[in-house]
Amino acid sequence: MSLEIEATDVIKIILQFCKENALLDSLQAIQNECQVSLNTVDSIETFVSEINNGRWDQVLPVVSRLKLPHGKLESLYELVVLEMVELREVDTARAVLRQTPVFNRMKQEEPDRFLKLEHLCGRTYFDTKEVWAGTSKEKRRAQIAHSLSQEVSTVPPQRLMALIGQALKWQQHQGLLPPGTAFDLFRGTAQGTRDEVERYPSQLDRTIKFGKKSHPECAVFSPDGQMLVTGSADGFIEVWDFITGKLKKDLQYQADEQFMMHDEAVLALSFSKDSELLVSGSQDGKIKVWKVRTGQCLRKYERAHTQGVTAVGFSKDGTHVLSSSYDGLVRVHGIKSGKMLKELRGHTSYVNDAIYSPDGSQIVSASSDASVRVWDSKTCDCLTSFRPPQTSTSGEASVNAVHFYPQNPDQIIVCNRSSTVFIMTLHGHVVKSFQSGKREGGDFLACWVSPRGEWIYCLGEDSILYSFSTATGKLENLMQVADKGPIGLCQHPHRNLVATYADEGSLKLWKA
């Protein structure tokens, strides 16, 4: 059974917030536009007491913010004027009569009553019996106090902040928010911390375990740093809270145990720049575009490739999807049209990676034919093709991954299946090389570059994570990250947090 909340109650809570924070113009504007009045006082007892004691300097400012029946309002202001006349504050009484909207209305609708008050102001004496007419000032005050007390109510202070606080505590209790996390109420997200100094990961933060018959094949952090998404061998795409290591249950579809998924293993994932959309590619050559907040599939490319999709990515403007595949092709697909728009041919073996340049004008692809190709993203012309130096004695090493170097947009990091990773120009010149020093059994399977480009992380076939400093060119740290079957890695966009995953069925998060 769902709770029903009146819209007027929501408006009243907003009005209370305006009142408590002295936003009186906003309070008045909302009341006028919505025709909803707050009609609350801090204390009904105090309000009644101040009327009974004639503390009009306290009562009238409170009354000015209330929406009261005209008759009751006129009775109150009439009493105030009578008491002023009795105290011979005649000038003040006249000013109230002539400048107050209540009396302007009375002058129009009850002219005799208004003229009687004006006449009293002009007298040189005050006849108590005539004015109070068989009653007394104190009784009139008590009558008005009782009458007005029926029109007002009192509520606990800061209701808006209290309700928001209760909602956030409930979400934390349900595991939807990590404990002790600052929350961006406007965006509806937990505020992520930013590490000011880049450091290599050196200790295990937590482990995310997958089912017995599944393991992650790919993983990616969202650009806003709020989510970690994995694609698994069983076709599931899951969104994780990397702080708790649990599935994000604030996504309703995951709370209902519904998931984004493919029919076969998910091999590639990538986010749009605004972290709203996710593109996934699978072993059967299909690509899907998802809205992460709802889990809705916005676009399917049933025949994106004839073999497994190895890499996917959004164009800078978010209108195209770039993909590479074991079928040896790089393709560009239109999100709006749902069709393949461009095809880049030239590699003679699997294409393992494909990325857009930061300005979107070029595409760089890496292949098992041991080459890197640079393409014009508009014309699809191959601008350059080169092979990184071969350091392996067992033949030409396939290029597994490429990344643009954050410190220079004209340079890329090239990782091939060897124990050396390179920073190279887009024309194929080596700027710097980094070596693990391991002669056998330690070839790199994948690599990642830190957000500011100060570190290059390489995952070896020996399940060791090698951390190279781009400043010194040295191997600064090595760390065992899996028992067997290493697959890949990714890094958080602004924290010293690296995720590694293996076919042993787990993803591990490593912190500095």
Side-chain angles (χ1 to χ4, degrees), residues 75-135:
S75 297
L76 171 67
Y77 274 86
E78 185 178 46
L79 176 61
V80 172
V81 168
L82 291 175
E83 292 195 19
M84 287 179 177
V85 173
E86 184 180 18
L87 294 169
R88 306 314 296 158
E89 295 178 6
V90 177
D91 291 339
T92 306
R94 279 200 185 99
V96 172
L97 266 176
R98 293 168 184 174
Q99 297 173 15
T100 308
V102 174
F103 288 117
N104 292 336
R105 184 187 181 95
M106 183 188 288
K107 187 177 181 180
Q108 298 294 324
E109 297 180 357
E110 299 180 75
D112 292 342
R113 187 179 178 185
F114 179 82
L115 287 171
K116 184 178 178 181
L117 291 171
E118 271 218 325
H119 179 64
L120 276 173
C121 291
R123 284 184 182 180
T124 58
Y125 64 92
F126 186 84
D127 188 334
T128 305
K129 289 184 179 179
E130 178 190 351
V131 172
W132 302 125
T135 181

Side-chain angles (χ1 to χ4, degrees), residues 427-438:
H427 297 287
H429 304 301
V430 175
V431 177
K432 192 176 284 189
S433 62
F434 307 84
Q435 298 177 331
S436 71
K438 197 165 186 177

Side-chain angles (χ1 to χ4, degrees), residues 5-22:
I5 299 173
E6 294 287 340
T8 52
D9 290 341
V10 177
I11 294 169
K12 285 180 180 178
I13 288 173
I14 295 169
L15 289 172
Q16 184 197 33
F17 179 82
C18 292
K19 176 186 172 184
E20 290 175 338
N21 290 275

Side-chain angles (χ1 to χ4, degrees), residues 362-373:
Q362 296 174 327
I363 293 170
V364 179
S365 57
S367 172
S368 292
D369 64 12
S371 75
V372 173
R373 285 178 176 257

Side-chain angles (χ1 to χ4, degrees), residues 193-301:
T193 56
R194 289 180 175 269
D195 292 329
E196 297 300 322
V197 179
E198 289 196 344
R199 295 187 176 92
Y200 59 79
S202 57
Q203 55 184 313
L204 181 65
D205 183 41
R206 66 186 63 253
T207 300
I208 297 174
K209 292 185 178 179
F210 290 71
K212 291 183 178 179
K213 295 182 179 181
S214 183
H215 63 266
E217 285 282 354
C218 54
V220 64
F221 285 97
S222 59
D224 63 7
Q226 299 297 327
M227 296 173 279
L228 170 65
V229 180
T230 57
S232 302
D234 56 9
F236 280 84
I237 299 169
E238 293 162 300
V239 186
W240 302 89
D241 181 335
F242 58 85
I243 295 174
T244 63
K246 297 179 179 179
L247 286 170
K248 282 181 74 69
K249 292 297 180 72
D250 57 337
L251 299 174
Q252 190 58 48
Y253 59 96
Q254 291 200 157
D256 296 337
E257 297 191 352
Q258 301 293 319
F259 296 92
M260 299 178 284
M261 66 182 303
H262 282 257
D263 295 329
E264 294 193 24
V266 180
L267 304 182
L269 292 167
S270 184
F271 271 96
S272 59
K273 282 179 66 176
D274 61 6
S275 302
E276 292 292 322
L277 302 181
L278 179 76
V279 58
S280 57
S282 58
Q283 180 71 52
D284 54 7
K286 295 178 182 178
I287 291 175
K288 295 183 181 182
V289 177
W290 310 86
K291 189 172 181 62
V292 183
R293 278 281 144 215
T294 63
Q296 178 188 5
C297 182
L298 302 179
R299 179 66 68 192
K300 293 180 184 178
Y301 304 92

Side-chain angles (χ1 to χ4, degrees), residues 234-440:
D234 56 9
F236 280 84
I237 299 169
E238 293 162 300
V239 186
W240 302 89
D241 181 335
F242 58 85
I243 295 174
T244 63
K246 297 179 179 179
L247 286 170
K248 282 181 74 69
K249 292 297 180 72
D250 57 337
L251 299 174
Q252 190 58 48
Y253 59 96
Q254 291 200 157
D256 296 337
E257 297 191 352
Q258 301 293 319
F259 296 92
M260 299 178 284
M261 66 182 303
H262 282 257
D263 295 329
E264 294 193 24
V266 180
L267 304 182
L269 292 167
S270 184
F271 271 96
S272 59
K273 282 179 66 176
D274 61 6
S275 302
E276 292 292 322
L277 302 181
L278 179 76
V279 58
S280 57
S282 58
Q283 180 71 52
D284 54 7
K286 295 178 182 178
I287 291 175
K288 295 183 181 182
V289 177
W290 310 86
K291 189 172 181 62
V292 183
R293 278 281 144 215
T294 63
Q296 178 188 5
C297 182
L298 302 179
R299 179 66 68 192
K300 293 180 184 178
Y301 304 92
E302 294 286 351
R303 292 180 293 278
H305 289 277
T306 57
Q307 294 183 45
V309 179
T310 56
V312 286
F314 286 96
S315 60
K316 188 178 180 182
D317 62 5
T319 60
H320 298 149
V321 168
L322 173 69
S323 64
S324 61
S325 169
Y326 290 130
D327 63 12
L329 299 174
V330 176
R331 286 176 169 170
V332 177
H333 315 265
I335 292 181
K336 191 173 182 180
S337 67
K339 297 178 180 178
M340 185 192 76
L341 304 178
K342 299 172 184 177
E343 186 174 88
L344 285 61
R345 290 176 171 268
H347 285 295
T348 57
S349 186
Y350 305 150
V351 183
N352 300 312
D353 202 1
I355 55 173
Y356 277 109
S357 62
D359 64 3
S361 65
Q362 296 174 327
I363 293 170
V364 179
S365 57
S367 172
S368 292
D369 64 12
S371 75
V372 173
R373 285 178 176 257
V374 181
W375 314 80
D376 185 301
S377 61
K378 285 188 177 180
T379 65
C380 300
D381 293 336
C382 182
L383 304 176
T384 55
S385 176
F386 57 86
R387 298 178 180 225
Q390 298 299 313
T391 58
S392 172
T393 56
S394 58
E396 293 188 327
S398 66
V399 184
N400 298 324
V402 284
H403 295 273
F404 272 89
Y405 185 35
Q407 297 183 10
N408 189 330
D410 295 322
Q411 296 176 359
I412 54 175
I413 293 156
V414 180
C415 173
N416 64 2
R417 184 135 189 168
S418 71
S419 58
T420 305
V421 64
F422 305 92
I423 297 178
M424 304 181 73
T425 69
L426 292 174
H427 297 287
H429 304 301
V430 175
V431 177
K432 192 176 284 189
S433 62
F434 307 84
Q435 298 177 331
S436 71
K438 197 165 186 177
R439 291 180 177 272
E440 292 182 4

